[in-house]
Amino acid sequence: MRKIRIIFAFIFSLISFGAYARGTLKAGKPIYLWKNIPGMKKNYSVMYVHPAPVEKNTGAAVIICPGGSYHHLGLYNEGYRTAKWFSEKGVTAFTLRYRTAGNGFHYPAMLQDVQRAIQLVRENCDEYGIDSNKVGVIGYSAGGHLVTMAGAMWKSHDELENLGIAHEVSLRPDFVIPVYPVVSMHEELAHRWSRKSLLGRNQTEARWNEFSMEKNVTADMPKSYIVVCKDDPVVDCRNSFALYDAMKDSGADCSIAVYEWGGHGFGMLNNAFMKEFHWNERMWQEFLEPILK
C-alpha cells in the first residue's frame, strides 16, 4: 500500500509539473512565509498571490489550501484553478503551498503555515487592497481539515506564539469553507493516510481526540460552509456530517451543501459534476456574496 501511495504521488507530481511546463498553470507572485525567520526553512512554505482586478475588487481575500492527504498537494485543480475563479469574482486569492509529509513534515508545520499566511495577509492588507475583516480560508480534503483547524484552534493552538513570533492581527479567519474535508482522526471515520501524514507515528487516542475536528469546534468558530458528495469514495462523507452536526450543536454558524454524486477531488475542474451542479456558484450565492456585501 505504501508503494502504491508513493507511485500515485509521483505520478500526480509529474502531471502537475507537465501542466506547469505547458504554461497552463499560473502560480502568481510567490511570498515565502518564513523568509528571514531564524530556524525556519525558506523554500518549502510559499503563498502565491492572485490579485482581484481593481474594477471588481470586493476587498475580500481567501487563502486556498489544496488537498493531498497531508502528503502532497493538488496545486493545479484545487489551488491555481480555484485562485483564478476567486480572483475573477473580485476576491484576492492566495494559494498556499504548505508543508507536507512528502517533504518530511508533520504537525505543527501545516498549522504554522496557514496561521502565518493569515498573519501576512492581514498585516499587508493595504498593499493588496484587502479589508482585514474579510480574510477567509477554503480547503479541499486534507486541506479542508487544515482550514477547519485554522478556524477552531486559532486561540488554543497559536503556533506563531509558540515560535516566538509576535503578531497584533487576529489569526481567526473570517470565513471557512471545507470541501469534501477530512475531519475525524478516529478509526471509524478517519482517512488513514491523512492521519498518518499529519500526526506521524504519534498515534495515541489523545492525539486523535485533539485533531478530530468534530470534537474541537466551538461557538466562536467562523461562519462556515461545508461541501460534500454522498458518493465520496476517498473520504467518508460522514466526516462532513459529523463536522456540521458538531458545529450546530456548539452554536456556530454553519451550513452544508450535500450532493448525491460527484465523488472526491472535483475541485474547480470543468467536469461533469461542475456542469451539472455549479457548486462554486451556489457557494458564492448562498454563502459568500451575502457576507462580503
Side-chain angles (χ1 to χ4, degrees), residues 213-227:
M213 289 298 98
E214 78 278 15
K215 295 181 178 294
N216 289 282
V217 294
T218 58
D220 61 359
M221 182 83 179
K223 188 177 179 72
S224 302
Y225 184 92
I226 304 166
V227 180

Side-chain angles (χ1 to χ4, degrees), residues 15-57:
I15 292 170
S16 295
F17 179 79
Y20 186 89
R22 292 191 301 271
T24 58
L25 294 184
K26 294 184 179 179
K29 177 185 175 182
I31 298 172
Y32 294 93
L33 302 188
W34 304 107
K35 185 178 181 180
N36 300 325
I37 301 296
M40 301 297 286
K41 293 183 179 180
K42 169 187 170 182
N43 293 328
Y44 284 110
S45 310
V46 187
M47 187 165 56
Y48 300 100
V49 186
H50 311 257
V54 174
E55 67 277 8
K56 291 185 176 181
N57 192 2

Side-chain angles (χ1 to χ4, degrees), residues 111-163:
L111 188 56
Q112 288 173 347
D113 285 352
V114 73
Q115 288 184 343
R116 178 68 167 167
I118 293 169
Q119 177 199 10
L120 293 177
V121 169
R122 282 211 167 105
E123 287 182 347
N124 295 281
C125 60
D126 290 342
E127 177 184 346
Y128 299 119
I130 291 168
D131 182 338
S132 63
N133 296 311
K134 293 182 178 180
V135 178
V137 289
I138 182 172
Y140 299 88
S141 195
H145 183 272
L146 180 56
V147 298
T148 306
M149 275 205 298
M153 295 181 167
W154 57 279
K155 285 191 298 187
S156 63
H157 293 62
D158 186 335
E159 298 300 341
L160 299 188
E161 185 177 87
N162 292 340
L163 289 170

Side-chain angles (χ1 to χ4, degrees), residues 239-259:
N239 278 264
S240 292
F241 301 143
L243 178 59
Y244 175 73
D245 290 343
M247 291 187 70
K248 299 303 284 188
D249 289 345
S250 74
D253 189 343
C254 180
S255 54
I256 187 168
V258 181
Y259 297 93

